[in-house]
Amino acid sequence: MPRPTYAEVNLAAIRANCRAVKSRLAPGVRLMAVVKADAYGHGAVPAAQALQEAGADAFGVALVEEGVALRVAGLARPILVMGIAPPEEILAAAEYDLALTADCPDTARQFQRQAEAHGRRLRVHLKIDTGMSRLGVRAEDAPAAAAALARLDRLVLEGAYTHFACADGDAEDSCRRQLWRLRGALEGMRAAGAAPLMVHAANSSALVRFPETHFDMVRSGLALYGIRSCPDAARVDLCPALSLKTRVVHLKRVLHGEGVSYGHRWTARRDSLVGVLPIGYADGYPRLLTNRGQARVEGRLCPVVGAVCMDSTMVDLTDVPAARAGLEAALIEADHDSPISAEAVAAACSTIPYEILTGIAARVPRVYV
Ligand SMILES: *Cc1c(COP(=O)(O)O)cnc(C)c1O
């Protein structure tokens, strides 16, 4: 018997989101489904299978081992490793036909040496930094980097891409500036005789907000899991795929004036019934939700009372009629309008839904419906 705490993942929702995202793209524009970090906590292999069924053309991962896991599970579409593969993982990338990201000529030369040593060829996407100030060659250096890469006979310059820093915010001119730098870099690459086969730039937010960023392919993650990366994402019919559920394992009478949990950070202001939920911060339910989170029990929102512990969280069930052990408690609901949507839980923790979803621990079983 699995523990009563689990993340329920609706694969039909993931498929529907994939189709909704694809419908925003002009014919011929491909969709790279980003499934890094265990598909944002949804389970990489089941999510990738659902996405492939719904028409995802390629997959994006952060790590070589994430790409290998997809191949081992039988996923055959192109896979791009968006992080920088360390030298000791380059051979695996070649063996499992993963495209790698080169962020500078040195990385490309490293790839070439490894590919040559093992008699392999490698697909490479050149990352161009147009303003994120993270990975990538600076836009003005991209033509020379691409030309250098094109001279390395073991590498195929399959793509060139950039990543937006502010696609989800108000800073529209920042995106336009990045786009302008990307176009300049691409022009320089063409002039240098090192044009990539494919160009991509947009994440979920840019894909919704700026069609001019679509190029040959978009890279979408969050939207495929039904979560809005920015308010404009409400224009796409997205259905959240994940809910986090558990059961009340114990019911405790707490008298007026008594404290609950570590530090007694909550004190009962009336005689109360407190439910113990077998989920805590080690499961990815943030400790920041101490006295702040809510659980839905029997249709009612019940406040988290006292400190969230490593393995347990307490909720006030005084107002739940016939409260008893065994009742289901939802901590994240798959509904944009719920006060405990992934977006709302993230806001209560002053963070973004990405962190809440990817933070759900491996010890929480994923149950697919
Ligand atoms: C994670 C990631 C994405 C996907 O971003 P979403 O906002 O989830 O759509 C796209 N590109 C790169 C480089 C990424 O790291």
Side-chain angles (χ1 to χ4, degrees):
M1 270 296 281
R3 58 186 296 208
T5 298
Y6 62 101
E8 187 177 280
V9 178
N10 180 347
L11 294 173
I14 292 179
R15 283 191 290 266
N17 296 329
C18 187
R19 287 190 285 266
V21 164
K22 276 208 94 163
S23 73
R24 312 277 302 185
L25 308 179
V29 176
R30 310 211 297 160
L31 170 63
M32 171 179 285
V34 178
V35 294
K36 64 192 177 190
D38 207 22
Y40 294 34
H42 294 66
V45 168
Q49 280 161 344
L51 290 161
Q52 184 165 295
E53 281 159 32
D57 301 289
F59 296 110
V61 294
L63 312 175
V64 169
E65 49 265 48
E66 292 176 334
V68 170
L70 296 181
R71 287 283 186 253
V72 167
L75 289 146
R77 302 265 158 93
I79 297 175
L80 172 64
V81 177
M82 299 186 295
I84 301 304
E88 57 277 17
E89 296 194 341
I90 296 170
L91 174 60
E95 280 177 339
Y96 288 91
D97 193 23
L98 311 177
L100 293 180
T101 294
D103 63 333
C104 63
D106 282 346
T107 317
R109 277 189 287 273
Q110 179 76 257
F111 292 169
Q112 163 83 6
R113 274 196 296 279
Q114 293 282 332
E116 202 159 42
H118 296 101
R120 306 271 182 166
R121 287 170 73 80
L122 271 168
R123 304 167 199 278
V124 174
H125 291 228
L126 180 66
K127 183 81 185 273
I128 304 171
D129 188 349
T130 54
M132 174 77 171
S133 302
R134 198 173 66 176
L135 289 179
V137 285
R138 291 184 61 91
E140 61 270 27
D141 300 328
L149 210 156
R151 283 193 295 273
L152 302 172
D153 63 339
R154 295 283 168 165
L155 308 186
V156 180
L157 182 57
E158 191 173 70
Y161 73 108
T162 195
H163 192 48
F164 293 111
C166 305
D168 56 344
D170 297 325
E172 213 167 295
D173 42 330
S174 154
C175 286
R176 303 216 182 284
R177 210 156 38 239
Q178 285 197 254
L179 197 54
W180 181 79
R181 288 195 193 118
L182 176 64
R183 289 192 201 286
L186 293 171
E187 225 163 84
M189 289 166 72
R190 273 191 290 273
L197 297 171
M198 191 187 338
V199 176
H200 46 107
N203 56 6
S204 294
S205 295
L207 131 74
V208 174
R209 301 182 65 205
F210 309 116
E212 65 273 30
T213 63
H214 290 187
F215 293 94
D216 302 307
M217 182 163 75
V218 301
R219 305 183 307 271
S220 178
L222 198 68
L224 300 175
Y225 309 108
I227 306 298
R228 295 169 180 164
S229 55
C230 59
D232 285 331
R235 296 199 302 246
V236 188
D237 195 9
L238 298 176
C239 178
L242 182 141
S243 24
L244 184 61
K245 295 181 177 173
T246 186
R247 285 185 186 284
V248 177
V249 283
H250 183 69
L251 214 58
K252 166 72 33 78
R253 233 155 50 82
V254 177
L255 302 181
H256 181 214
E258 289 181 331
V260 167
S261 191
Y262 290 117
H264 282 175
R265 292 173 64 180
W266 185 81
T267 304
R269 271 182 252 139
R270 56 178 173 171
D271 289 351
S272 303
L273 261 185
V274 168
V276 180
L277 306 180
I279 183 169
Y281 58 79
D283 298 301
Y285 191 68
R287 190 167 171 275
L288 277 170
L289 293 172
T290 294
N291 288 337
R292 239 154 142 197
Q294 302 177 92
R296 193 179 302 278
V297 180
E298 296 278 86
R300 268 173 211 255
L301 282 171
C302 304
V304 167
V305 292
V308 172
C309 308
M310 190 183 293
D311 314 297
S312 328
T313 296
M314 274 56 78
V315 287
D316 184 359
L317 300 182
T318 314
D319 296 327
V320 174
R324 61 195 179 277
L327 288 181
E328 185 177 274
L331 293 156
I332 296 178
E333 288 184 321
D335 173 359
H336 294 293
D337 300 323
S338 164
I340 51 171
S341 66
E343 291 100 328
V345 168
C349 297
S350 308
T351 186
I352 50 178
Y354 300 79
E355 189 179 5
I356 298 299
L357 293 171
T358 58
I360 299 172
R363 76 175 191 178
V364 175
R366 270 62 174 176
V367 175
Y368 295 94
V369 295

